[in-house]
Amino acid sequence: MMGLTFINAIVFGVQGNTMRLLGHDTPMNQFLAGAAAGAIQCVICCPMELAKTRLQLQGTGEKKSSRKLYKNSLDCLVRIYNREGLRGVNRGMVTTLIRETPGFGVYFLAYDVLTRGLGCEPDDRFMIPKLLFAGGMAGIASWLSTYPVDVIKSRLQADGVGGVYRYSSIADCVRQSVRREGYMVFTRGLTSTLLRAFPVNAATFATVALILMYSRGEGQGPKDCELAPTGHQAQLQQQAHPSSL
């Protein structure tokens, strides 16, 4: 939960600033901005998910509950660092980059396409349901596009629990997984992930869009002593605040 706070701040901050640098609100730029955001947030995402995976697997396979190895997430990362160094804390970083970079590109691209298609305007009485639907479907599209990579990432990060290392590389993990369980191994856990993805991303995107909209004062006319924008000025404002929110 602590990690997600920073991850979402980084993702939406980087995506918004990248869109401003690119200058034009197009689907391709939405993909590129999302991909940039996904790549940068891996710095926090990878160690966070490593700690989560190790804590979830703690005590697995033991007949009797013994003393816990890790007290909390921070203690887990400190112990991994002391044992394996910086490389151990960043275990799975390459697969995380492979997953998050295109995954967040698809995430923002799908959301942009859906909000444009649904017509999510500030004065639309059904705007919130539309935002929730677009955000939820964007989350599902993102996970579907990169889920096989997530399976490999999770296995690599879980490798070494109990002191036994099974995989020597990403390719070795893929090879062993397919040999033991077939190609359906890449869909393991997909249903529960998609069931989680819709409500989580629906709430995330709707909250971000509404807060940005109200902070910008969208949907309100020009204030007193202000002239309504015309011509080139109106075109610039439309580019700065696209209808897709």
Side-chain angles (χ1 to χ4, degrees):
M1 291 177 68
M2 290 169 59
L4 285 173
T5 303
F6 294 103
I7 285 174
N8 282 319
I10 292 172
V11 165
F12 286 96
V14 171
Q15 192 271 345
N17 282 291
T18 304
M19 284 299 299
R20 277 187 280 274
L21 288 173
L22 293 173
H24 299 284
D25 185 15
T26 63
M28 178 54 68
N29 284 349
Q30 288 284 351
F31 178 87
L32 294 175
I40 292 174
Q41 61 89 42
C42 286
V43 176
I44 293 178
C45 177
C46 181
M48 179 200 77
E49 293 199 355
L50 174 65
K52 178 179 73 71
T53 300
R54 295 293 176 91
L55 286 167
Q56 287 178 334
L57 290 175
Q58 194 168 217
T60 301
E62 297 180 0
K63 294 182 179 180
K64 295 182 180 180
S65 58
S66 58
R67 184 179 65 85
K68 290 184 177 179
L69 181 61
Y70 309 120
K71 297 177 182 178
N72 51 50
S73 300
L74 181 60
D75 179 61
C76 176
L77 291 175
V78 169
R79 286 176 179 268
I80 293 173
Y81 177 80
N82 290 336
R83 214 168 43 239
E84 306 174 48
L86 195 60
R87 183 176 181 180
V89 172
N90 289 306
R91 178 179 293 274
M93 179 62 79
V94 174
T95 46
T96 303
L97 277 168
I98 295 172
R99 182 193 70 176
E100 300 291 75
T101 302
F104 273 97
V106 172
Y107 189 49
F108 284 97
L109 171 63
Y111 180 75
D112 180 67
V113 171
L114 285 169
T115 50
R116 290 179 188 276
L118 293 170
C120 296
E121 301 293 343
D123 57 350
D124 188 349
R125 52 185 267 181
F126 298 111
M127 183 187 69
I128 293 178
K130 289 179 179 179
L131 289 176
L132 290 170
F133 177 77
M137 293 306 295
I140 287 177
S142 175
W143 275 109
L144 286 174
S145 66
T146 58
Y147 192 76
V149 182
D150 181 70
V151 173
I152 300 304
K153 180 201 71 68
S154 298
R155 294 193 170 207
L156 288 171
Q157 290 185 327
D159 195 31
V161 173
V164 178
Y165 291 91
R166 179 180 298 174
Y167 310 117
S168 60
S169 64
I170 297 173
D172 183 54
C173 180
V174 172
R175 190 164 46 248
Q176 289 193 45
S177 298
V178 172
R179 185 170 62 245
R180 285 197 310 267
E181 304 172 57
Y183 288 101
M184 291 302 293
V185 68
F186 297 117
T187 64
R188 186 178 293 274
L190 178 61
T191 301
S192 58
T193 299
L194 295 182
L195 288 174
R196 180 194 67 179
F198 189 91
V200 167
N201 292 288
T204 299
F205 259 122
T207 301
V208 171
L210 290 173
I211 288 176
L212 288 177
M213 183 183 69
Y214 287 121
S215 66
R216 292 168 179 165
E218 292 185 13
Q220 300 176 359
K223 297 179 181 179
D224 294 339
C225 302
E226 288 185 358
L227 295 176
T230 57
H232 184 62
Q233 183 181 3
Q235 184 180 1
L236 290 174
Q237 287 192 8
Q238 185 178 6
Q239 291 178 355
H241 304 294
S243 61
S244 64
L245 298 178

